[in-house]
Amino acid sequence: MKEEEKQPIELPENAFRELGEGEEYQPVMSPSKNYPEVTLWSVSWGIIMAVLFSAAAAYLGLKVGQVFEAAIPIAIIAVGLSNATRRKNALGENVIIQSIGACSGVIVAGAIFTLPALYIIPGLTVDFMQVFLSSLLGGILGILFLIPFRKYFVSEMHGKYPFPEATATTQVLISGEKSGNQAKPLIFAGLIGGIYDFVLSTFGWWSEVLSTRVLPFGETIAEKAKAVFKINTGAAVLGLGYIVGLKYSLIICAGSIFVWFLIVPFMGLFWGDSVLTMGNSDIAIAVGQMTPEQIFTTYGRHIGIGGIAMAGVIGIIRSWGIIKGAVGLASKELEGKAEAVITSVKRTQRDISMKFIAIACIATLILILLFFYLGIIHNFTQAFIAFIVVSVIAFLFTTVAANAIAIVGTNPVSGMTLMTLILASVILVAVGLKGTSGMVAALIIGGVVCTALSMAGGFITDLKIGYWLGSTPAKQEGWKFLGTLVSAATVGGVILILNDTYGFTSENGLAAPQANAMAAVIEPLMSGKGAPWLLYGIGALIAVVLTFCKIPALAFALGMFIPLELNTPLVVGGLVSWYVSTRSKNAEVNKSRYERGTLLASGFIAGGALMGVVSAGLRFGGFEYSCEMNDTIKQVLGLVLYLALIGYLLKDSMKAHKVR
């Protein structure tokens, strides 16, 4: 009997594939049983993780512009704690710890991309409550807007999206329920990937990015033809590519190739003598004198932003039936007609009631309007217009953020926020809000939208993890609000402390690259200068054409926006996953090899994410190391070690022979 009641320790074989006609997915924790989920242990540790990781992520993000994904390292710590204390049936508790704690990364990403610009632009003043409320209200809005789409993304689209980060986190959590031998591939790959990425990012003994510039003719081609090829050699990005798979990897990389090898060289060749300011007064050099990287950052990526925006609009149009259904269910519940339906829903499909979501949405939107009117703008008409901008854009882009995370594990939130800032600035200037007060208003609007979209993207990961493992969605959704509150308060305090300690504008201050970019964009717009509408229009047109050709427009647009070096390794990982899953004539052997590779790739992602936290801790403590090795040697060494890493992933995946 005891043996029968033990939790299953393997994900079902149909966890990652599309379901057949009439087939149902049965999660690890049975829908017909109740498990420990929300306990004093899980909530307490979730809060502790939210505080610690909010502080660490905020510091690292403001220093180097990168926010590490907190979900995976928190899952590793949760599993370690439950194993160390020998807690029984800890899987449900670990999901809640991860779900509450993971608010840290998404709230930090939403806050640091915009709000530090309030300290960067001369003459602006900001207090804790403005930063705190911007993050808190944005986070709550993101949660509420996403919940009605949970069933669509995690259940109806089962097997259609790869969900790379959710896959890696799920493998980590499930490993806590396995015996040592079963968890070994994940742990060993995590050690290899973690050590590899830690040495790479902390000591720089080999090149993190391989570039054709190192070749004798590479620098000449980059300078004259504005063409350069790059690839990131990190283990985590390679693992990400494996899980994303070859199809989406190729589409994403095609977007990169289009911008880097067509648009950028075209601009260098035909607009070489032009100085295209695009609303940014700091750029005063001709296009021909720019590096390919500068042309991409200043002009090329704006095509990606336009494509992402249009893909979002197309996504909204296509999912209008889902939106109508969600709104219809809410109205039925408000009338009291859906109660019988709700009580009959399985535990693993039970969301917070739509009645609560509808009321909470209205309350949150009213609070945002009051926040804008009483705390930021002090003119009701202008505050109301700003409120409409936030509501519409956050709602429209919620599905875009969730889609992006589901496909590639990367949320293009900075691009969508940049578009929000530009639209908000243009609209606010049109209604008479300019200068310093206009800049504060636009940045706070950007902060609310950015946090809402960041939360929507991150939360869909949590809900997919819960779907695979069999958590109760309503419990994840309810306690997510607590994680948002704790993370918003922590981030608000940390930003103020870091500004007082380091500053964001001094020579030795924190770089805050995204916030500096937002500040550079918003200043000229508030002075009445234009935005790069032509480039946005080109991106939007490309998205429309791709949609007609039945090519996923969002994946292609993500490729146009995300730097080339982060997209090319996705194809390498995708090729490895294709190779190991097609070499045998036996379909079961191919499947077994692919699943072992998924475990190894998850280890790479988990190890890289955890060591990113350790590296951030060392930097926070003042540890700095500079490797003086010749760049050519570092590039060659990087290539050799990267090939060795690929070889390990290939060889170890091929060890699997058949499904048990």
Side-chain angles (χ1 to χ4, degrees), residues 216-231:
F217 54 87
E219 191 63 51
T220 305
I221 293 173
E223 186 182 337
K224 302 292 185 187
K226 307 300 178 190
V228 63
F229 179 83
K230 296 178 175 183
I231 185 167

Side-chain angles (χ1 to χ4, degrees), residues 112 125 141 174 177 190 276 282-283 293 346-347 369 374 390 406 452 501 549 586 601 627 633 637 658-659:
I112 69 165
T125 55
L141 199 62
I174 203 78
E177 303 300 308
L276 305 176
D282 292 328
I283 299 167
E293 292 84 355
K346 286 182 184 176
R347 178 186 63 79
L369 177 58
L374 300 175
V390 165
T501 308
C549 296
N586 186 320
C627 182
I633 295 173
L637 188 57
K658 62 181 179 179
V659 180

Side-chain angles (χ1 to χ4, degrees), residues 186-448:
L186 178 76
I187 295 167
F188 194 62
L191 284 171
I192 290 175
I195 293 168
Y196 179 99
D197 278 1
F198 176 75
V199 174
L200 178 60
S201 59
T202 309
F203 302 106
W205 288 343
W206 61 91
S207 287
E208 184 172 9
V209 177
L210 303 180
S211 168
T212 50
R213 288 179 185 277
V214 75
L215 301 171
F217 54 87
E219 191 63 51
T220 305
I221 293 173
E223 186 182 337
K224 302 292 185 187
K226 307 300 178 190
V228 63
F229 179 83
K230 296 178 175 183
I231 185 167
N232 184 289
T233 61
V237 189
L238 177 66
L240 195 69
Y242 184 100
I243 294 172
V244 169
L246 189 57
K247 175 189 169 183
Y248 277 116
S249 293
L250 285 172
I251 295 168
I252 292 161
C253 199
S256 260
I257 299 297
F258 174 77
V259 169
W260 283 85
F261 294 101
L262 286 176
I263 298 296
V264 170
F266 177 86
M267 292 188 74
L269 182 64
F270 292 101
W271 293 351
D273 296 328
S274 304
V275 180
L276 305 176
T277 59
M278 294 301 178
N280 192 330
S281 56
D282 292 328
I283 299 167
I285 60 174
V287 176
Q289 293 177 302
M290 291 181 176
T291 63
E293 292 84 355
Q294 288 174 322
I295 297 174
F296 169 76
T297 303
T298 311
Y299 308 117
R301 69 173 182 166
H302 290 290
I303 297 174
I305 293 172
I308 290 167
M310 180 53 75
V313 173
I314 292 167
I316 285 294
I317 293 167
R318 286 183 156 183
S319 58
W320 193 247
I322 303 157
I323 297 167
K324 271 180 69 179
V327 172
L329 180 58
S331 61
K332 278 182 183 176
E333 281 199 42
L334 287 169
E335 293 167 13
K337 293 178 182 174
E339 203 146 326
V341 178
I342 293 166
T343 53
S344 66
V345 172
K346 286 182 184 176
R347 178 186 63 79
T348 51
Q349 289 295 329
R350 200 176 298 143
D351 292 296
I352 289 177
S353 80
M354 289 302 299
K355 184 182 289 186
F356 172 85
I357 292 168
I359 294 168
C361 270
I362 293 166
T364 304
L365 291 170
I366 290 171
L367 287 173
I368 290 171
L369 177 58
L370 291 174
F371 172 50
F372 286 171
Y373 176 51
L374 300 175
I376 308 295
I377 298 175
H378 309 299
N379 177 301
F380 186 78
T381 302
Q382 293 171 341
F384 185 75
I385 290 169
F387 157 76
I388 294 296
V389 170
V390 165
S391 306
V392 172
I393 293 178
F395 181 71
L396 289 178
F397 280 140
T398 291
T399 52
V400 183
N403 243 320
I405 288 288
I407 293 170
V408 70
T410 301
N411 194 343
V413 69
S414 58
M416 291 187 287
T417 303
L418 191 59
M419 177 64 78
T420 302
L421 274 178
I422 291 166
L423 289 173
S425 299
V426 170
I427 292 167
L428 291 174
V429 167
V431 296
L433 192 60
K434 301 179 183 178
T436 301
S437 57
M439 291 179 202
V440 172
L443 286 167
I444 294 291
I445 287 170
V448 173

